[in-house]
Coordinates of all heavy atoms in Angstrom, one line a residue:
S11 N 18.3 -57.8 27.4 CA 19.2 -57.9 28.6 C 18.4 -58.0 29.9 O 17.2 -57.5 29.9 CB 20.1 -56.7 28.6 OG 19.4 -55.5 28.8
D31 N -7.1 -45.5 42.6 CA -7.1 -46.4 43.7 C -6.0 -46.2 44.7 O -5.9 -46.9 45.7 CB -7.0 -47.8 43.2 CG -8.2 -48.2 42.3 OD1 -9.3 -47.6 42.5 OD2 -8.1 -49.1 41.4
G111 N 20.1 -36.0 36.3 CA 18.7 -35.6 36.4 C 18.4 -34.1 36.5 O 17.3 -33.7 36.7
L113 N 19.0 -31.8 34.2 CA 18.6 -31.3 32.9 C 17.5 -32.2 32.3 O 17.6 -33.4 32.4 CB 19.7 -31.2 31.9 CG 20.7 -30.1 32.1 CD1 21.7 -30.1 30.9 CD2 20.1 -28.7 32.1
I121 N 20.3 -26.4 24.7 CA 21.7 -26.1 25.0 C 22.6 -26.6 23.9 O 23.5 -25.9 23.4 CB 22.2 -26.7 26.4 CG1 21.4 -26.0 27.5 CG2 23.6 -26.5 26.5 CD1 21.7 -26.6 28.9
D136 N 43.5 -17.5 15.7 CA 43.8 -16.1 15.7 C 43.3 -15.4 17.0 O 43.5 -14.2 17.2 CB 43.0 -15.4 14.6 CG 41.5 -15.6 14.6 OD1 41.0 -16.2 15.6 OD2 40.9 -15.2 13.6
G141 N 35.5 -11.9 15.2 CA 36.3 -10.7 14.9 C 36.7 -9.9 16.1 O 37.3 -8.8 16.0
P157 N 25.2 -14.1 34.9 CA 24.6 -13.7 36.1 C 23.4 -12.7 35.9 O 22.4 -12.8 36.6 CB 25.8 -13.0 36.9 CG 27.0 -13.7 36.3 CD 26.7 -13.9 34.9
R175 N 25.7 -14.7 44.2 CA 27.1 -14.8 44.5 C 27.7 -16.2 44.2 O 28.8 -16.3 43.7 CB 27.3 -14.5 46.0 CG 26.8 -13.1 46.5 CD 27.3 -12.0 45.6 NE 28.8 -11.9 45.7 CZ 29.5 -11.1 45.0 NH1 29.0 -10.2 44.2 NH2 30.9 -11.1 45.2
L211 N 14.6 -20.1 29.6 CA 15.9 -20.4 29.0 C 16.1 -20.1 27.5 O 17.1 -19.5 27.2 CB 16.2 -21.9 29.2 CG 17.6 -22.4 28.7 CD1 18.7 -21.7 29.6 CD2 17.7 -23.9 28.9
A214 N 17.1 -16.5 26.9 CA 18.4 -16.2 27.6 C 19.5 -16.8 26.7 O 20.5 -16.1 26.5 CB 18.4 -16.8 29.0
L253 N -2.5 -11.4 4.0 CA -1.3 -10.6 4.2 C -0.1 -11.5 4.4 O -0.1 -12.3 5.4 CB -1.5 -9.6 5.4 CG -0.3 -8.7 5.7 CD1 -0.2 -7.6 4.7 CD2 -0.6 -8.0 7.1
E263 N 9.6 -4.9 15.0 CA 9.5 -4.3 16.4 C 8.4 -3.2 16.4 O 7.6 -3.1 17.4 CB 10.8 -3.7 16.8 CG 11.9 -4.8 17.2 CD 11.4 -5.7 18.3 OE1 10.7 -5.2 19.2 OE2 11.8 -6.9 18.4
S318 N -7.8 -1.7 14.3 CA -8.0 -0.5 15.1 C -6.9 0.5 14.9 O -7.1 1.7 14.7 CB -8.0 -0.9 16.6 OG -8.0 0.3 17.5
R321 N -7.5 2.3 11.5 CA -8.6 3.2 11.6 C -8.1 4.5 12.3 O -8.4 5.6 11.8 CB -9.8 2.7 12.4 CG -10.6 1.7 11.6 CD -12.0 1.5 12.3 NE -11.8 0.8 13.5 CZ -11.8 -0.5 13.7 NH1 -12.1 -1.3 12.7 NH2 -11.7 -1.1 14.9
D322 N -7.4 4.3 13.4 CA -6.9 5.5 14.1 C -5.9 6.3 13.3 O -5.9 7.5 13.3 CB -6.2 5.1 15.4 CG -7.2 4.5 16.4 OD1 -8.4 4.7 16.2 OD2 -6.7 3.9 17.4
W323 N -5.0 5.6 12.5 CA -4.0 6.3 11.7 C -4.7 7.1 10.6 O -4.4 8.3 10.4 CB -3.1 5.3 11.0 CG -2.0 5.9 10.3 CD1 -0.8 6.3 10.8 CD2 -1.9 6.1 8.9 NE1 0.0 6.8 9.8 CE2 -0.6 6.7 8.6 CE3 -2.7 5.8 7.8 CZ2 -0.2 7.0 7.3 CZ3 -2.3 6.2 6.5 CH2 -1.1 6.7 6.3
L360 N -12.4 1.3 -2.5 CA -11.3 2.0 -3.3 C -10.4 1.0 -3.9 O -9.7 1.3 -4.9 CB -10.5 3.0 -2.3 CG -9.6 3.9 -3.0 CD1 -10.3 4.9 -3.9 CD2 -8.8 4.7 -1.9
R372 N -21.8 -0.6 8.7 CA -20.9 -0.6 9.9 C -19.8 0.5 9.8 O -19.5 1.2 10.7 CB -20.4 -1.9 10.2 CG -19.5 -2.0 11.4 CD -19.3 -3.4 11.9 NE -18.5 -4.2 10.9 CZ -17.2 -4.2 10.8 NH1 -16.5 -3.3 11.5 NH2 -16.6 -4.9 9.9
R398 N -15.6 14.4 14.3 CA -16.6 14.6 15.3 C -17.5 15.8 14.9 O -18.7 15.8 15.3 CB -16.0 14.9 16.7 CG -17.0 15.1 17.8 CD -16.4 15.2 19.2 NE -17.5 15.2 20.2 CZ -18.1 14.2 20.7 NH1 -17.7 13.0 20.3 NH2 -19.0 14.3 21.6
K401 N -16.7 19.7 8.8 CA -15.4 20.3 8.3 C -15.7 21.7 7.9 O -16.8 22.2 7.7 CB -14.9 19.5 7.2 CG -14.5 18.0 7.7 CD -14.0 17.2 6.5 CE -13.7 15.8 7.0 NZ -13.2 14.9 5.9
E404 N -17.8 22.2 4.9 CA -19.2 21.8 5.2 C -19.9 22.9 6.0 O -21.1 23.2 5.8 CB -19.2 20.5 5.9 CG -18.7 19.3 5.0 CD -18.6 18.1 5.8 OE1 -18.3 18.1 7.0 OE2 -18.7 17.0 5.2
L474 N -36.5 17.3 17.1 CA -35.4 16.5 17.6 C -35.2 16.9 19.1 O -35.5 17.9 19.5 CB -34.2 16.7 16.7 CG -33.5 18.1 16.6 CD1 -32.6 18.4 17.8 CD2 -32.7 18.2 15.4

Side-chain angles (χ1 to χ4, degrees):
S11 64
D31 297 333
L113 281 186
I121 295 175
D136 59 7
R175 302 306 300 178
L211 186 62
L253 181 67
E263 288 296 330
S318 175
R321 282 195 296 265
D322 291 345
W323 186 81
L360 190 61
R372 181 163 63 81
R398 185 171 184 85
K401 299 178 181 179
E404 293 173 332
L474 61 82

